[in-house]
Amino acid sequence: MTRVFSGMKPTGDATLGSYLGALRHWVDDQGPEALYCVVDLHALTVPQDPVQLRAETLGLATTFLAVGIDPNVSIVFVQSHVHEHSELAWLMECTASIGELRRMTQFKDKSEKAEEGGGGFVSGGLLTYPALMAADILLYDTDEVPVGDDQRQHVELTRDLAIRFNSRYGDTFVVPKATVRPAGARVMDLQDPTRKMSKSEDSPAGTILLLEEPGAIAKKIKRAVTDTEADVRYDPSTKPGVSNLLSILAASTGRTPEAAAEGYTQYGPLKNDTADAVVELLAPIRARHTELAADPAEVHRILDAGAERARKTAATTLARARAAVGLLAPR
Ligand code: TYM
């Protein structure tokens, strides 16, 4: 059976991008061999408000359930509840080279941004982040990692680290691969369609939150940036705004962007239909989230049970990796 692992950071609410690029595929991939993780340790690469981090961790776990992940089938848990993640991360840091870590696009972007706007502070964790992500994946003998396009490079590095470790110390890790579904793999900002729609980005008008109110969603889509030519065509390089709307409409209605473009000659009707499709897609998730959020104790219970199930596999893999590198086992 295929083992599936994926994770999401509890930094700001989930967006339409993280839903179309990842969460809805997690629902399709679920089964007893699927693990879905709120990766709270990954949030710490930038300073966090502790009260908010705790609330967002629980809120994101609630979102996993609200989109349709069934904790009686898949494993839903919080990364820091399974200490093996941090332990294996050290072995992965020692397997990765500084050059590899520096070449990661996300590190380059985020460290530049931190240097410009964040008072020059770039944490060491921002550089070593992909080693922790590799640990997350490798701990569970993962075959497939369903992610959006922006995480492809990190999964590639995970593969390289697994192969390197296996060749240095003997067969220890399963070599995983990213599964990036084309529809919705890269949802762009509605106000700046050349950049990814991002929860941590400061672009409220360009970002649709998964739990946003329908009126606000429709307004943002209707105000989305398009371009000066008036024709409706899917061509991301010359028409990024229109193509983004077509991708969203297509992913929300199960078509290709080219097929979604058929029949439109003007931007107005395209925007109206995209807004309707997104509102219809997200309304049941919002309703379910409200129900689940009324019983946080139940979400805690689910997370505790999930961590216990996850720990079993994690402990076995970590023990194998410790033995492989020559760490003396305690008596
Ligand atoms: P994160 O938390 O930024 O995003 C979670 C998932 O959502 C996808 N995504 C998008 N897909 C399409 N369009 C968008 N605009 C968009 N925004 C986000 C991301 O590709 C991702 O799949 N490093 C990871 C978290 C992580 C992880 C892991 C993932 C930690 N350990 C192990 C997989 C396996 C991250 O920051 O994702």
Side-chain angles (χ1 to χ4, degrees):
M1 221 175 172
T2 308
R3 175 73 54 84
V4 173
F5 179 96
S6 204
M8 193 170 284
K9 289 192 302 283
T11 46
D13 294 326
T15 68
L16 178 66
S18 49
Y19 179 64
L20 293 179
L23 284 173
R24 69 188 177 126
H25 303 304
W26 299 6
V27 178
D28 295 337
D29 288 348
Q30 70 179 319
E33 299 290 320
L35 298 104
Y36 299 121
C37 185
V38 179
V39 289
D40 55 347
L41 296 171
H42 276 96
L44 301 179
T45 54
V46 293
Q48 295 290 335
D49 174 324
V51 173
Q52 197 177 333
L53 178 60
R54 262 190 294 274
E56 291 199 0
T57 301
L58 194 65
L60 185 57
T62 310
T63 296
F64 286 9
L65 306 175
V67 299
I69 293 167
D70 180 351
N72 295 314
V73 178
S74 309
I75 299 179
V76 176
F77 72 108
V78 174
Q79 182 187 33
S80 67
H81 293 182
V82 181
H83 64 78
E84 284 81 357
H85 287 252
S86 326
E87 270 185 76
L88 186 62
W90 174 247
L91 301 191
M92 289 300 113
E93 278 178 48
C94 297
T95 307
S97 74
I98 293 251
E100 274 170 328
L101 295 171
R102 275 193 207 281
R103 276 197 295 279
M104 294 293 112
T105 314
Q106 195 167 303
F107 171 71
K108 287 195 263 184
D109 290 351
K110 291 200 170 173
S111 57
E112 268 168 32
K113 210 170 288 160
E115 268 163 7
E116 285 161 16
F121 181 79
V122 178
S123 74
L126 208 54
L127 179 67
T128 58
Y129 175 115
L132 176 59
M133 178 159 161
D136 299 339
I137 297 168
L138 299 180
L139 263 183
Y140 298 99
D141 294 333
T142 302
D143 302 296
E144 291 185 359
V145 189
V147 283
D149 189 58
D150 64 313
Q151 294 300 319
R152 200 191 281 273
Q153 194 186 32
H154 289 155
V155 182
E156 280 303 311
L157 178 64
T158 303
R159 286 174 64 84
D160 293 345
L161 299 184
I163 291 168
R164 186 174 305 147
F165 191 101
N166 286 349
S167 77
R168 278 186 189 162
Y169 301 112
D171 236 2
T172 308
F173 297 121
V174 171
V175 180
K177 69 168 199 293
T179 42
V180 181
R181 270 78 159 201
R186 202 167 182 80
V187 177
M188 309 307 276
D189 187 288
L190 296 173
Q191 289 301 316
D192 177 0
T194 60
R195 74 175 196 194
K196 192 187 69 159
M197 184 184 283
S198 165
K199 50 194 166 183
S200 35
E201 212 77 58
D202 193 20
S203 173
T207 304
I208 293 175
L209 301 176
L210 196 54
L211 304 175
E212 202 155 352
E213 198 240 308
I217 295 177
K219 203 188 233 171
K220 287 180 186 178
I221 293 180
K222 287 176 190 168
R223 290 189 182 160
V225 166
T226 43
D227 43 38
T228 47
E229 301 168 7
D231 63 329
V232 176
R233 234 171 345 107
Y234 182 68
D235 182 355
S237 57
T238 60
K239 296 175 77 71
V242 173
S243 300
N244 189 35
L245 289 175
L246 286 169
S247 298
I248 293 172
L249 177 61
S252 305
T253 53
R255 287 177 290 172
T256 63
E258 289 82 3
E262 277 169 30
Y264 292 106
T265 50
Q266 287 176 313
Y267 296 156
L270 170 65
K271 287 182 170 177
N272 287 339
D273 289 354
T274 306
D276 288 348
V278 172
V279 165
E280 196 179 315
L281 184 73
L282 301 187
I285 298 173
R286 187 162 184 257
R288 184 85 183 107
H289 193 281
T290 308
E291 268 172 42
L292 291 160
D295 189 1
E298 174 61 9
V299 182
H300 275 289
R301 193 198 59 74
I302 288 168
L303 293 174
D304 290 349
E308 204 176 311
R309 284 170 73 193
R311 214 173 281 129
K312 290 199 180 93
T313 312
T316 309
T317 313
L318 180 68
R320 207 163 64 223
R322 289 178 53 112
V325 289
L327 294 173
L328 183 68
R331 286 274 166 98

